Amino acid sequence: MSAESSEGSEEFFQALHYNADGLIPAIAQCAQSGTVLMMAWMNRESLQVTLDSGQVVYWSRSRGKLWRKGETSGNAQKLVEMRLDCDGDTLLLRVDQQGAACHTGRRDCFYRVADATARTWHIDQEPLQDPAQLYGGDSA
Amino acid sequence: MSAESSEGSEEFFQALHYNADGLIPAIAQCAQSGTVLMMAWMNRESLQVTLDSGQVVYWSRSRGKLWRKGETSGNAQKLVEMRLDCDGDTLLLRVDQQGAACHTGRRDCFYRVADATARTWHIDQEPLQDPAQLYGGDSA
């Protein structure tokens, strides 16, 4: 990683609007199927490391540190394409997802679907992997 | 809209974790193509109105009021399916999008793609509709 690529272009980073905590939401989408896998947060450092390495790195709000997706579970995300929305406050990451994206072992995190009439949530996706075998302490 | 459906099930709403401002991010995805169209925010009221009406209603942070998507532009979103993620802090809305989802007249808001090496953003999507013809004051 060169100093230049790590530092990046100021103009590039100025297009991003972070929230009061210096974070921007990042939606991860499977580049092959279009499935929305998860939503997590990035800060400038995680964004730089992601662009430098080609592997998706978020900022863990609960742990207060960089979160290299798959560091414990092995279920890493390879960055295929990074997109920014019109007002610069949301990222869309198109990724190659290794294994399950969700810490529950499911393909994606959006496994609860609303019954709008009954006002209940139904789970309609089974785990692909046993979360007990995936994790020591990784959160997703 | 009955009092019952407007009030909803407490258990249903308790599954949702709002941020400090009482908001939850909602990702809108085209139900047909899988394209991620936009990300906006909902509060409990907008969620209830969306479920009651079947038309997507966000909370506009800039205007501090309910934002009936398409109220000015006509580019409404019909709710096909609402999903909630594993930790209850992000919604995924699968929608039938009328016209352009973005206030720039583009199909979706993620029309800037990163060149990871040059650290620049490139626009790779042209407007479908002229935004000047779509809006009086609607923001997206």
Side-chain angles (χ1 to χ4, degrees), chain A residues 51-91:
Chain A
L51 290 168
D52 285 340
S53 68
Q55 296 292 323
V56 177
V57 177
Y58 299 104
W59 178 257
S60 168
R61 296 179 301 172
S62 58
R63 287 175 282 163
K65 62 174 191 171
L66 290 181
W67 164 26
R68 294 168 195 277
K69 176 68 182 160
E71 62 194 348
T72 306
S73 64
N75 291 344
Q77 292 176 341
K78 184 181 171 192
L79 184 69
V80 174
E81 190 178 79
M82 180 181 286
R83 292 183 165 273
L84 182 64
D85 75 346
C86 52
D87 48 11
D89 65 6
T90 306
L91 291 165

Side-chain angles (χ1 to χ4, degrees), chain A:
Chain A
M1 180 190 315
S2 71
E4 191 183 3
S5 71
S6 174
E7 199 173 305
S9 144
E10 275 312 308
E11 200 177 334
F12 179 85
F13 288 102
Q14 279 168 9
L16 293 145
H17 300 296
Y18 304 97
N19 71 9
D21 297 321
L23 301 175
I24 184 167
I27 301 161
Q29 181 183 33
C30 173
Q32 289 76 41
S33 66
T35 301
V36 177
L37 300 170
M38 56 181 283
M39 203 277 272
W41 297 79
M42 287 184 149
N43 63 1
R44 178 164 167 157
E45 186 186 1
S46 70
L47 192 59
Q48 284 178 320
V49 178
T50 297
L51 290 168
D52 285 340
S53 68
Q55 296 292 323
V56 177
V57 177
Y58 299 104
W59 178 257
S60 168
R61 296 179 301 172
S62 58
R63 287 175 282 163
K65 62 174 191 171
L66 290 181
W67 164 26
R68 294 168 195 277
K69 176 68 182 160
E71 62 194 348
T72 306
S73 64
N75 291 344
Q77 292 176 341
K78 184 181 171 192
L79 184 69
V80 174
E81 190 178 79
M82 180 181 286
R83 292 183 165 273
L84 182 64
D85 75 346
C86 52
D87 48 11
D89 65 6
T90 306
L91 291 165
L92 175 63
L93 313 177
R94 293 178 60 85
V95 303
D96 282 339
Q97 172 70 53
Q98 190 76 26
C102 184
H103 76 290
T104 65
R106 290 177 176 86
R107 181 196 59 178
D108 66 81
C109 297
F110 297 96
Y111 55 83
R112 289 189 278 184
V113 60
D115 180 325
T117 309
R119 297 287 157 97
T120 50
W121 297 104
H122 297 286
I123 292 175
D124 70 352
Q125 195 185 135
E126 293 303 311
L128 299 174
Q129 295 176 285
D130 178 358
Q133 295 190 337
L134 290 175
Y135 295 101
D138 195 12
S139 74

Side-chain angles (χ1 to χ4, degrees), chain B residues 2-76:
Chain B
S2 72
E4 193 183 1
S5 71
S6 174
E7 199 172 304
S9 146
E10 275 313 308
E11 201 178 333
F12 179 84
F13 287 103
Q14 278 168 10
L16 293 145
H17 300 296
Y18 303 97
N19 70 10
D21 297 322
L23 302 175
I24 185 168
I27 301 161
Q29 181 183 33
C30 173
Q32 289 76 40
S33 67
T35 301
V36 177
L37 299 170
M38 56 181 285
M39 203 279 272
W41 297 80
M42 288 186 147
N43 64 0
R44 180 165 165 155
E45 186 185 1
S46 69
L47 193 59
Q48 284 178 321
V49 178
T50 298
L51 290 168
D52 285 341
S53 68
Q55 297 290 326
V56 177
V57 178
Y58 299 103
W59 178 258
S60 169
R61 295 179 301 172
S62 58
R63 287 174 284 163
K65 63 174 191 169
L66 290 182
W67 163 28
R68 293 168 195 276
K69 177 68 183 159
E71 63 195 347
T72 306
S73 63
N75 291 344

